[in-house]
Amino acid sequence: MRIVLAALFAAFAAADAGAAVLYKLVDPLGRITFADNVPRGFDGTVTRLDIDTGTNVITPSPSGDAVVRAPVDRDLLVRRPDMSGEERLRQAAQRVEDARLALADAQNNSLAEDWVYLGADNPLGMRRMPRPEYQARLDQLAGNVVVAEAAYDALRSQLR
């Protein structure tokens, strides 16, 4: 009896080794996610995808071709002249200004798609809130401002 059970277990394990199941989840906003199981309470469209992993195997074939680098034309390489400390400081200040302008532009020129609009009786008391993608973009731009200001301050203190 144990031998029969062991044989059945081995047969099922071998049959399942070449197959995988994925689910394509499309939420009400149209965002697509692939998962190996469907979350409880998921409100959207679920499509089951049966993947045969045995047919998608790629075996590398050895190539006899050697990798050769292209020759470098030394005349094309141009060395930048050394900049004065004042010029480097001016460029760092320009980077700070550019980062601030990019952040202000993103804050002042948002689109309707950048916001989630809420009803009047929502528990947060807000009429709208930024979408996560828009908030991440604003956070990235604010981080760019902080990095540019820190680089400017470090260069200014170095040149003193």
Side-chain angles (χ1 to χ4, degrees):
M1 181 66 178
R2 287 183 181 172
I3 295 174
V4 172
L5 287 176
L8 281 175
F9 179 73
F12 283 124
D16 193 36
V21 176
L22 284 179
Y23 296 95
K24 179 181 176 182
L25 310 171
V26 182
D27 69 2
L29 296 176
R31 293 181 292 210
I32 299 173
T33 306
F34 292 92
D36 57 353
N37 57 15
V38 180
R40 285 187 220 177
F42 177 74
D43 184 30
T45 307
V46 177
T47 306
R48 179 185 168 116
L49 303 171
D50 293 314
I51 311 295
D52 183 10
T53 58
T55 61
N56 296 329
V57 176
I58 298 174
T59 56
S61 60
S63 165
D65 299 335
V67 178
V68 179
R69 289 185 174 216
V72 176
D73 188 1
R74 301 287 177 195
D75 295 333
L76 292 178
L77 297 178
V78 178
R79 187 164 248 194
R80 273 197 277 175
D82 292 333
M83 288 189 287
S84 68
E86 186 175 303
E87 178 65 20
R88 291 184 2 216
L89 194 61
R90 188 192 64 73
Q91 286 183 353
Q94 184 63 45
R95 283 191 294 271
V96 169
E97 184 63 24
D98 291 344
R100 287 180 180 159
L101 288 174
L103 177 60
D105 182 54
Q107 290 170 334
N108 297 330
N109 297 315
S110 64
L111 303 173
E113 296 85 30
D114 292 333
W115 299 93
V116 176
Y117 294 91
L118 307 171
D121 57 344
N122 67 68
L124 300 175
M126 296 186 288
R127 303 292 284 166
R128 69 179 188 170
M129 60 186 268
R131 286 198 183 278
E133 299 86 8
Y134 178 59
Q135 186 63 49
R137 186 171 39 149
L138 290 176
D139 293 343
Q140 176 67 39
L141 291 169
N144 291 349
V145 170
V146 169
V147 168
E149 287 173 344
Y152 176 79
D153 290 341
L155 183 60
R156 194 175 70 201
S157 66
Q158 177 188 5
L159 293 175
R160 284 188 182 172

